Amino acid sequence: MRSTGSAVKAVVRYRRPGPECWDAVVTAACDDTRHSWDAAKAVAQAGSAVSVHADRIAKALDQRPGRGDELASALAGVGDLRALPALRRLAKDGHFPTYRTHVRVLAALPAAELLPTMQAVLRQDPPKYHASISVLELLARWGPASAAALPEVLPYLEGPYAYDALRVLGRIGPAAAVAADRLADFATGRAPRARRHHPRLAAWAHWRATGDPTLALDVCGAAVGSGSASHGLPFLADLGPLAAAHAETVRGLMASPGAWTRVAAAHAYWRITADVEPAVPVLLAEVDPQWTGLPALPTPEAVRHLGEIGAPAAASAPMLRRILAAEERLSHPYESVRILIDEAYVRTLAEALARIGASADDPAAAPEPAPEPSPEARRGVPGRWLRPRGARTR
């Protein structure tokens, strides 16, 4: 490698740079050189690629607090607990990492160790918008492990963070049942802060928290039947066979002019019916080998869903292998997130191929057959959810 500058370019551009490249980049990030800024931005995204340099990064983090956010992210990305003091300090000083994409790095740390710091960020008064959004994203990723943060999450339903807070509550699951009435209010539009994009997510969260699918089926099913399909399909997919009454509507949406809707419909139809035959061609058609990372296209979602289907999606395996073998990273993302976004795509491809191959040898359990639709299939919001809270019991 001729220079530190070319080493930084190599790790940002290529998926499999030589270890000497990362060695040069870590040296520049830890030392006060003219390339240290760009190198630190790369190291912050590196994850396991810099695990052999963890001791060196930890030492530099102690000596150079001015570069604390990038070096702390680098340690967090390898799951090193020595990142925690720096993250606590950053949170206290109001400089907690604020990019949603970098949440993937922090998620490598044990939730139990990092959760108190996340709670402290949420308790800031007034809240810092980007930091709070990032923390809520992380809590949603942790799911049930975030249950201890419920007291900090619930107040965020009352402001511009409501959508992210609803998502956290749904991911937490049964422990969030204490918020069931508030979730129902958002799902039915009764909550003062409810907006048009809240009902479907809130209804899904209500089901996840309470185990009662009635509200989710009505709200998300009505959305799919009304034309706002892509906003209800992922939730019907999660409901699976419980959403059997909506299967034919979902199948029709696989011919939608919108790529995101086609992908979501194919996935939902498979989850609801266990019928892979119409779903796989739709998903495969959206796997673009030339995808550059443009977020407007659903290529990673299509790959992930093919992996979930497993062996019946074997026709996609040769293409997925070719994409995974590419030398260069995705070209569209900015350099400050290019490694992170590309590595996420690489993991999606590798996991999909592993599941397709594994299920060919030992088929995974398919979704349960769809139950017969209820003779009292409902459309719209059921009346009992519009009555006063005290009257909502059966």
PDB file of all heavy atoms in Angstrom, residues 272-292:
ATOM      1  N   ILE A 272     -48.765 -15.618   4.729  1.00  0.00           N
ATOM      2  CA  ILE A 272     -50.168 -15.901   5.055  1.00  0.00           C
ATOM      3  C   ILE A 272     -50.574 -17.301   4.617  1.00  0.00           C
ATOM      4  O   ILE A 272     -51.264 -18.012   5.337  1.00  0.00           O
ATOM      5  CB  ILE A 272     -51.090 -14.844   4.401  1.00  0.00           C
ATOM      6  CG1 ILE A 272     -50.858 -13.469   5.044  1.00  0.00           C
ATOM      7  CG2 ILE A 272     -52.557 -15.246   4.515  1.00  0.00           C
ATOM      8  CD1 ILE A 272     -51.502 -12.322   4.284  1.00  0.00           C
ATOM      9  N   THR A 273     -50.136 -17.711   3.426  1.00  0.00           N
ATOM     10  CA  THR A 273     -50.652 -18.944   2.817  1.00  0.00           C
ATOM     11  C   THR A 273     -49.653 -20.093   2.754  1.00  0.00           C
ATOM     12  O   THR A 273     -50.052 -21.232   2.498  1.00  0.00           O
ATOM     13  CB  THR A 273     -51.113 -18.661   1.372  1.00  0.00           C
ATOM     14  OG1 THR A 273     -49.952 -18.337   0.576  1.00  0.00           O
ATOM     15  CG2 THR A 273     -52.115 -17.512   1.327  1.00  0.00           C
ATOM     16  N   ALA A 274     -48.355 -19.809   2.918  1.00  0.00           N
ATOM     17  CA  ALA A 274     -47.283 -20.797   2.734  1.00  0.00           C
ATOM     18  C   ALA A 274     -47.135 -21.211   1.269  1.00  0.00           C
ATOM     19  O   ALA A 274     -46.416 -22.166   0.962  1.00  0.00           O
ATOM     20  CB  ALA A 274     -47.485 -22.032   3.617  1.00  0.00           C
ATOM     21  N   ASP A 275     -47.760 -20.492   0.353  1.00  0.00           N
ATOM     22  CA  ASP A 275     -47.684 -20.785  -1.084  1.00  0.00           C
ATOM     23  C   ASP A 275     -46.534 -19.982  -1.685  1.00  0.00           C
ATOM     24  O   ASP A 275     -46.608 -18.757  -1.809  1.00  0.00           O
ATOM     25  CB  ASP A 275     -49.010 -20.410  -1.748  1.00  0.00           C
ATOM     26  CG  ASP A 275     -49.040 -20.781  -3.228  1.00  0.00           C
ATOM     27  OD1 ASP A 275     -48.037 -21.330  -3.733  1.00  0.00           O
ATOM     28  OD2 ASP A 275     -50.062 -20.495  -3.876  1.00  0.00           O
ATOM     29  N   VAL A 276     -45.449 -20.680  -2.059  1.00  0.00           N
ATOM     30  CA  VAL A 276     -44.274 -19.983  -2.585  1.00  0.00           C
ATOM     31  C   VAL A 276     -44.343 -19.752  -4.082  1.00  0.00           C
ATOM     32  O   VAL A 276     -43.626 -18.900  -4.623  1.00  0.00           O
ATOM     33  CB  VAL A 276     -42.978 -20.765  -2.258  1.00  0.00           C
ATOM     34  CG1 VAL A 276     -42.810 -20.931  -0.774  1.00  0.00           C
ATOM     35  CG2 VAL A 276     -42.956 -22.114  -2.963  1.00  0.00           C
ATOM     36  N   GLU A 277     -45.196 -20.522  -4.773  1.00  0.00           N
ATOM     37  CA  GLU A 277     -45.157 -20.507  -6.234  1.00  0.00           C
ATOM     38  C   GLU A 277     -45.344 -19.126  -6.850  1.00  0.00           C
ATOM     39  O   GLU A 277     -44.550 -18.706  -7.697  1.00  0.00           O
ATOM     40  CB  GLU A 277     -46.200 -21.495  -6.778  1.00  0.00           C
ATOM     41  CG  GLU A 277     -45.796 -22.080  -8.127  1.00  0.00           C
ATOM     42  CD  GLU A 277     -46.693 -23.234  -8.527  1.00  0.00           C
ATOM     43  OE1 GLU A 277     -46.847 -24.190  -7.738  1.00  0.00           O
ATOM     44  OE2 GLU A 277     -47.241 -23.155  -9.635  1.00  0.00           O
ATOM     45  N   PRO A 278     -46.339 -18.359  -6.443  1.00  0.00           N
ATOM     46  CA  PRO A 278     -46.464 -17.033  -7.053  1.00  0.00           C
ATOM     47  C   PRO A 278     -45.514 -16.001  -6.457  1.00  0.00           C
ATOM     48  O   PRO A 278     -45.234 -14.980  -7.079  1.00  0.00           O
ATOM     49  CB  PRO A 278     -47.921 -16.656  -6.754  1.00  0.00           C
ATOM     50  CG  PRO A 278     -48.261 -17.403  -5.519  1.00  0.00           C
ATOM     51  CD  PRO A 278     -47.478 -18.677  -5.570  1.00  0.00           C
ATOM     52  N   ALA A 279     -44.994 -16.251  -5.264  1.00  0.00           N
ATOM     53  CA  ALA A 279     -44.196 -15.238  -4.572  1.00  0.00           C
ATOM     54  C   ALA A 279     -42.756 -15.182  -5.063  1.00  0.00           C
ATOM     55  O   ALA A 279     -42.195 -14.093  -5.242  1.00  0.00           O
ATOM     56  CB  ALA A 279     -44.219 -15.500  -3.060  1.00  0.00           C
ATOM     57  N   VAL A 280     -42.136 -16.333  -5.291  1.00  0.00           N
ATOM     58  CA  VAL A 280     -40.706 -16.351  -5.622  1.00  0.00           C
ATOM     59  C   VAL A 280     -40.391 -15.584  -6.901  1.00  0.00           C
ATOM     60  O   VAL A 280     -39.453 -14.779  -6.932  1.00  0.00           O
ATOM     61  CB  VAL A 280     -40.185 -17.801  -5.690  1.00  0.00           C
ATOM     62  CG1 VAL A 280     -38.775 -17.840  -6.296  1.00  0.00           C
ATOM     63  CG2 VAL A 280     -40.164 -18.413  -4.294  1.00  0.00           C
ATOM     64  N   PRO A 281     -41.127 -15.764  -8.011  1.00  0.00           N
ATOM     65  CA  PRO A 281     -40.794 -15.001  -9.225  1.00  0.00           C
ATOM     66  C   PRO A 281     -40.883 -13.492  -9.022  1.00  0.00           C
ATOM     67  O   PRO A 281     -40.086 -12.740  -9.584  1.00  0.00           O
ATOM     68  CB  PRO A 281     -41.828 -15.486 -10.242  1.00  0.00           C
ATOM     69  CG  PRO A 281     -42.279 -16.807  -9.744  1.00  0.00           C
ATOM     70  CD  PRO A 281     -42.238 -16.710  -8.258  1.00  0.00           C
ATOM     71  N   VAL A 282     -41.841 -13.052  -8.232  1.00  0.00           N
ATOM     72  CA  VAL A 282     -41.981 -11.613  -7.974  1.00  0.00           C
ATOM     73  C   VAL A 282     -40.767 -11.096  -7.223  1.00  0.00           C
ATOM     74  O   VAL A 282     -40.205 -10.046  -7.560  1.00  0.00           O
ATOM     75  CB  VAL A 282     -43.281 -11.342  -7.195  1.00  0.00           C
ATOM     76  CG1 VAL A 282     -43.360  -9.870  -6.782  1.00  0.00           C
ATOM     77  CG2 VAL A 282     -44.493 -11.711  -8.037  1.00  0.00           C
ATOM     78  N   LEU A 283     -40.343 -11.820  -6.207  1.00  0.00           N
ATOM     79  CA  LEU A 283     -39.181 -11.390  -5.423  1.00  0.00           C
ATOM     80  C   LEU A 283     -37.903 -11.448  -6.256  1.00  0.00           C
ATOM     81  O   LEU A 283     -37.080 -10.530  -6.232  1.00  0.00           O
ATOM     82  CB  LEU A 283     -39.041 -12.274  -4.181  1.00  0.00           C
ATOM     83  CG  LEU A 283     -40.175 -12.161  -3.157  1.00  0.00           C
ATOM     84  CD1 LEU A 283     -40.032 -13.235  -2.087  1.00  0.00           C
ATOM     85  CD2 LEU A 283     -40.187 -10.778  -2.515  1.00  0.00           C
ATOM     86  N   LEU A 284     -37.758 -12.517  -7.007  1.00  0.00           N
ATOM     87  CA  LEU A 284     -36.547 -12.683  -7.811  1.00  0.00           C
ATOM     88  C   LEU A 284     -36.409 -11.569  -8.842  1.00  0.00           C
ATOM     89  O   LEU A 284     -35.304 -11.101  -9.135  1.00  0.00           O
ATOM     90  CB  LEU A 284     -36.572 -14.056  -8.493  1.00  0.00           C
ATOM     91  CG  LEU A 284     -35.303 -14.495  -9.232  1.00  0.00           C
ATOM     92  CD1 LEU A 284     -34.089 -14.455  -8.325  1.00  0.00           C
ATOM     93  CD2 LEU A 284     -35.501 -15.904  -9.796  1.00  0.00           C
ATOM     94  N   ALA A 285     -37.529 -11.111  -9.384  1.00  0.00           N
ATOM     95  CA  ALA A 285     -37.496 -10.051 -10.396  1.00  0.00           C
ATOM     96  C   ALA A 285     -36.977  -8.736  -9.834  1.00  0.00           C
ATOM     97  O   ALA A 285     -36.507  -7.873 -10.589  1.00  0.00           O
ATOM     98  CB  ALA A 285     -38.899  -9.838 -10.976  1.00  0.00           C
ATOM     99  N   GLU A 286     -37.040  -8.555  -8.506  1.00  0.00           N
ATOM    100  CA  GLU A 286     -36.586  -7.306  -7.898  1.00  0.00           C
ATOM    101  C   GLU A 286     -35.160  -7.377  -7.374  1.00  0.00           C
ATOM    102  O   GLU A 286     -34.675  -6.426  -6.764  1.00  0.00           O
ATOM    103  CB  GLU A 286     -37.537  -6.907  -6.767  1.00  0.00           C
ATOM    104  CG  GLU A 286     -38.967  -6.683  -7.217  1.00  0.00           C
ATOM    105  CD  GLU A 286     -39.095  -5.679  -8.348  1.00  0.00           C
ATOM    106  OE1 GLU A 286     -38.301  -4.716  -8.378  1.00  0.00           O
ATOM    107  OE2 GLU A 286     -39.972  -5.860  -9.215  1.00  0.00           O
ATOM    108  N   VAL A 287     -34.476  -8.489  -7.586  1.00  0.00           N
ATOM    109  CA  VAL A 287     -33.073  -8.606  -7.180  1.00  0.00           C
ATOM    110  C   VAL A 287     -32.214  -8.132  -8.346  1.00  0.00           C
ATOM    111  O   VAL A 287     -31.948  -8.874  -9.285  1.00  0.00           O
ATOM    112  CB  VAL A 287     -32.711 -10.048  -6.781  1.00  0.00           C
ATOM    113  CG1 VAL A 287     -31.245 -10.125  -6.360  1.00  0.00           C
ATOM    114  CG2 VAL A 287     -33.607 -10.531  -5.655  1.00  0.00           C
ATOM    115  N   ASP A 288     -31.812  -6.899  -8.302  1.00  0.00           N
ATOM    116  CA  ASP A 288     -31.038  -6.285  -9.378  1.00  0.00           C
ATOM    117  C   ASP A 288     -29.541  -6.497  -9.114  1.00  0.00           C
ATOM    118  O   ASP A 288     -28.996  -5.963  -8.149  1.00  0.00           O
ATOM    119  CB  ASP A 288     -31.349  -4.788  -9.428  1.00  0.00           C
ATOM    120  CG  ASP A 288     -30.599  -4.081 -10.547  1.00  0.00           C
ATOM    121  OD1 ASP A 288     -29.861  -4.754 -11.292  1.00  0.00           O
ATOM    122  OD2 ASP A 288     -30.747  -2.849 -10.658  1.00  0.00           O
ATOM    123  N   PRO A 289     -28.846  -7.264  -9.972  1.00  0.00           N
ATOM    124  CA  PRO A 289     -27.412  -7.487  -9.760  1.00  0.00           C
ATOM    125  C   PRO A 289     -26.604  -6.196  -9.825  1.00  0.00           C
ATOM    126  O   PRO A 289     -25.488  -6.137  -9.296  1.00  0.00           O
ATOM    127  CB  PRO A 289     -27.027  -8.433 -10.902  1.00  0.00           C
ATOM    128  CG  PRO A 289     -28.303  -9.023 -11.374  1.00  0.00           C
ATOM    129  CD  PRO A 289     -29.351  -7.988 -11.145  1.00  0.00           C
ATOM    130  N   GLN A 290     -27.156  -5.170 -10.458  1.00  0.00           N
ATOM    131  CA  GLN A 290     -26.442  -3.896 -10.587  1.00  0.00           C
ATOM    132  C   GLN A 290     -26.875  -2.875  -9.534  1.00  0.00           C
ATOM    133  O   GLN A 290     -26.552  -1.697  -9.665  1.00  0.00           O
ATOM    134  CB  GLN A 290     -26.688  -3.318 -11.997  1.00  0.00           C
ATOM    135  CG  GLN A 290     -26.317  -4.256 -13.129  1.00  0.00           C
ATOM    136  CD  GLN A 290     -24.863  -4.696 -13.051  1.00  0.00           C
ATOM    137  OE1 GLN A 290     -23.977  -3.896 -12.781  1.00  0.00           O
ATOM    138  NE2 GLN A 290     -24.627  -5.987 -13.302  1.00  0.00           N
ATOM    139  N   TRP A 291     -27.597  -3.305  -8.519  1.00  0.00           N
ATOM    140  CA  TRP A 291     -28.049  -2.369  -7.501  1.00  0.00           C
ATOM    141  C   TRP A 291     -26.868  -1.658  -6.855  1.00  0.00           C
ATOM    142  O   TRP A 291     -25.886  -2.289  -6.462  1.00  0.00           O
ATOM    143  CB  TRP A 291     -28.849  -3.116  -6.431  1.00  0.00           C
ATOM    144  CG  TRP A 291     -29.484  -2.213  -5.412  1.00  0.00           C
ATOM    145  CD1 TRP A 291     -30.429  -1.274  -5.627  1.00  0.00           C
ATOM    146  CD2 TRP A 291     -29.219  -2.198  -4.002  1.00  0.00           C
ATOM    147  NE1 TRP A 291     -30.779  -0.654  -4.446  1.00  0.00           N
ATOM    148  CE2 TRP A 291     -30.050  -1.203  -3.435  1.00  0.00           C
ATOM    149  CE3 TRP A 291     -28.362  -2.922  -3.166  1.00  0.00           C
ATOM    150  CZ2 TRP A 291     -30.046  -0.919  -2.066  1.00  0.00           C
ATOM    151  CZ3 TRP A 291     -28.364  -2.646  -1.810  1.00  0.00           C
ATOM    152  CH2 TRP A 291     -29.198  -1.649  -1.267  1.00  0.00           C
ATOM    153  N   THR A 292     -26.965  -0.344  -6.765  1.00  0.00           N
ATOM    154  CA  THR A 292     -25.836   0.460  -6.277  1.00  0.00           C
ATOM    155  C   THR A 292     -26.000   0.883  -4.820  1.00  0.00           C
ATOM    156  O   THR A 292     -25.119   1.557  -4.278  1.00  0.00           O
ATOM    157  CB  THR A 292     -25.686   1.734  -7.128  1.00  0.00           C
ATOM    158  OG1 THR A 292     -26.884   2.531  -6.998  1.00  0.00           O
ATOM    159  CG2 THR A 292     -25.451   1.383  -8.594  1.00  0.00           C
TER     160      THR A 292
END
